[in-house]
Amino acid sequence: MKTLVCTTPGHFEYQDTLQPEIQPGTSLIRIRRIGICGTDLHAFEGTQPFFNYPRILGHELAGEIVNTDRTDFSVGEAVTFIPYFNCQKCVACRNGKPNCCTTLKVSGVHIDGGMVEYLSVPSYSLVHGDGLSFDELALVEPLAIGAHGVRRARVREGENVLVVGAGPIGLGTMEFARIAGGNVIALDINDARLAFCRDKIGVQHTVNALTEPVLERLAEITNGEMPTVIIDATGSLRAINTAFTYLAHGGSYVLVGLQKGDITFSHPEFHKREATLMSSRNATREDFEHVIKNMKNGQVDPKTYITHRVTFGEVKDTFESWLDPANGVIKAMVSLD
C-alpha cells in the first residue's frame, strides 16, 4: 500500500509498505478521508510537542471496515474511530478519562497514523458512521476536541464564553459553546477568520486582538462583567498568558491549545477572582457521540469547514502551502477513492 511519511520536519516521502496484518482485538480500515489539523501542520514545521520522526501523520480519519472482530460492526460499514489509544487499566482509564491515559498513544502523534491506504486500529476505538458521509466522519474528531473543552467548562445558558483562536479547533469550540447556550465571543488576529466566524457559524461577537482594544471591547460586550468562561484554542504562549486578564470573577479558563513553554500569570489577580484553570485533552466517546448527534440534527454543518481538497497523491506537493495564512485554509481534506 502507499504510505506518506514525514521523515524530518519539512519533508514528506511516499513509500510502499505492507498492508497491516489482521491481529486479535484490531480492525482493519480502508482509509477514505484524511482531515489535516493543526497537529499535522505543527509536526511538519517541527514545533509539535510529544513528537519524533519519522512519523506517519493523520488522525482525523474516515473509512470503511475491511475486517473486524466486533460483532456490532459490519464489513463495508463507514466508520470513524477514536484515535487516542489507551491502556484501559490506569487511574485515568479506570475513572472514565481514557483521553488522558498515563500511557496514551495518539494515532499520528506518538505512533504512526492514517496517511495510508489501510490502517489497523484497536477494535474498541471504532465509532459507527450512523449514516454520515466520509467527509462528515473525518470531521467528527476535531469537532469533538471543541465539544470536550466546552463540556469541561460546563457552559451554561446565557453565559459569556470567549474563545481565543479561530482555527478549526476554535471554530468547533464556538459551535458547541453556542449549542450549550453560551453567548459566544471570538477573539483572533485574522480578519478573514473572524469573518468566517460571523458569516459561516453565526458567532455574534468578534474581536481582532491586533486592531481593537480587547479589554474595552469585552467589557462592552459583557456589560462590564467580562467572560465567565475563556477557552484557548491558539496554542500561543502570548495569547494564553494574556487571556488571564480577560477573565471574570468566579470564571473558568480552559486550555485546549497546547504549547511547549511555561504559563505565567499574576497569582493575586487569579486568586482574587477565585478562578478555575483546567486543561482539556483530546475527547471521549461521549464527545464523539455528541458531535455526531448534532451533525445529524443540523446544529452543525461540518462541510462548512472544508475549504481545500486534494487527492492523496497531491499531499506531498501541496502540504507546505497550507501553512501560509494567506491561503485561507480552514480545513484541508484528503481523498483516497
Side-chain angles (χ1 to χ4, degrees):
M1 66 177 183
K2 182 177 287 188
T3 300
L4 183 59
V5 183
C6 187
T7 54
T8 58
H11 297 279
F12 275 123
E13 179 182 316
Y14 287 105
Q15 298 177 0
D16 289 323
T17 59
L18 294 176
Q19 182 175 310
E21 295 183 0
I22 305 300
Q23 300 289 341
T26 66
S27 297
L28 185 64
I29 299 174
R30 179 190 175 194
I31 300 299
R32 299 292 298 273
R33 296 290 186 279
I34 307 166
I36 305 301
C37 80
T39 299
D40 301 320
L41 297 172
H42 297 323
F44 183 77
E45 287 180 310
T47 59
Q48 175 65 26
F50 315 131
F51 210 85
N52 53 64
Y53 303 84
R55 178 64 68 224
I56 301 171
L57 307 181
H59 62 268
E60 298 181 0
L61 303 166
E64 56 193 11
I65 294 178
V66 176
N67 185 283
T68 184
D69 56 4
R70 291 276 299 266
T71 59
D72 54 335
F73 284 82
S74 304
V75 172
E77 181 179 350
V79 295
T80 186
F81 67 95
I82 302 171
Y84 328 122
F85 305 149
N86 57 81
C87 73
Q88 304 184 313
K89 298 176 182 178
C90 73
V91 61
C93 290
R94 294 198 314 270
N95 284 292
K97 295 178 70 67
N99 55 302
C100 59
C101 169
T102 59
T103 57
L104 193 73
K105 298 291 187 292
V106 178
S107 178
V109 180
H110 308 100
I111 58 175
D112 285 338
M115 288 193 177
V116 295
E117 292 182 297
Y118 295 89
L119 183 67
S120 177
V121 303
S123 294
Y124 66 75
S125 69
L126 292 176
V127 177
H128 287 288
D130 206 15
L132 296 179
S133 69
F134 289 124
D135 281 350
E136 291 168 327
L137 288 171
L139 287 165
V140 171
E141 191 274 341
L143 289 169
I145 298 287
H148 187 70
V150 169
R151 187 157 63 90
R152 291 277 285 155
R154 298 183 178 180
V155 172
R156 303 184 303 273
E157 184 77 30
E159 188 167 23
N160 291 312
V161 180
L162 173 65
V163 179
V164 187
I169 298 299
L171 293 169
T173 303
M174 294 173 203
E175 293 256 51
F176 284 93
R178 170 185 56 77
I179 290 168
N183 176 39
V184 180
I185 309 162
L187 178 65
D188 201 274
I189 59 174
N190 185 314
D191 277 332
R193 287 285 178 95
L194 293 172
F196 188 95
C197 293
R198 294 188 300 270
D199 301 339
K200 300 297 185 180
I201 62 173
V203 174
Q204 186 175 358
H205 306 289
T206 60
V207 182
N208 188 313
L210 286 183
T211 61
E212 299 181 72
V214 179
L215 282 168
E216 288 86 344
R217 286 282 288 120
L218 293 177
E220 175 189 346
I221 293 167
T222 64
N223 294 318
E225 293 184 342
M226 304 304 285
T228 49
V229 169
I230 298 176
I231 304 178
D232 175 80
T234 66
S236 161
L237 183 58
R238 181 178 179 183
I240 290 170
N241 287 342
T242 302
F244 280 94
T245 65
Y246 307 149
L247 187 61
H249 282 241
S252 298
Y253 188 7
V254 182
L255 302 179
V256 175
L258 176 66
Q259 50 77 44
K260 291 183 175 182
D262 295 333
I263 298 169
T264 58
F265 56 91
S266 166
H267 186 182
E269 290 296 321
F270 189 77
H271 193 90
K272 76 181 185 181
R273 286 166 169 77
E274 197 180 56
T276 300
L277 175 64
M278 66 185 81
S279 60
S280 178
R281 189 179 186 195
N282 302 319
T284 66
R285 183 169 293 275
E286 179 180 349
D287 303 307
F288 274 66
E289 292 173 350
H290 183 51
V291 169
I292 289 171
K293 181 186 76 173
N294 281 283
M295 284 184 178
K296 289 180 68 67
N297 68 19
Q299 287 274 24
V300 176
D301 180 5
K303 295 178 183 177
T304 301
Y305 294 84
I306 302 172
T307 55
H308 294 66
R309 290 183 180 274
V310 298
T311 65
F312 189 46
E314 295 171 323
V315 176
K316 178 180 177 180
D317 294 332
T318 308
F319 196 94
E320 190 169 5
S321 70
W322 297 333
L323 295 167
D324 185 351
N327 289 323
V329 178
I330 299 294
K331 179 61 62 178
M333 187 64 69
V334 181
S335 296
L336 294 85
D337 290 324

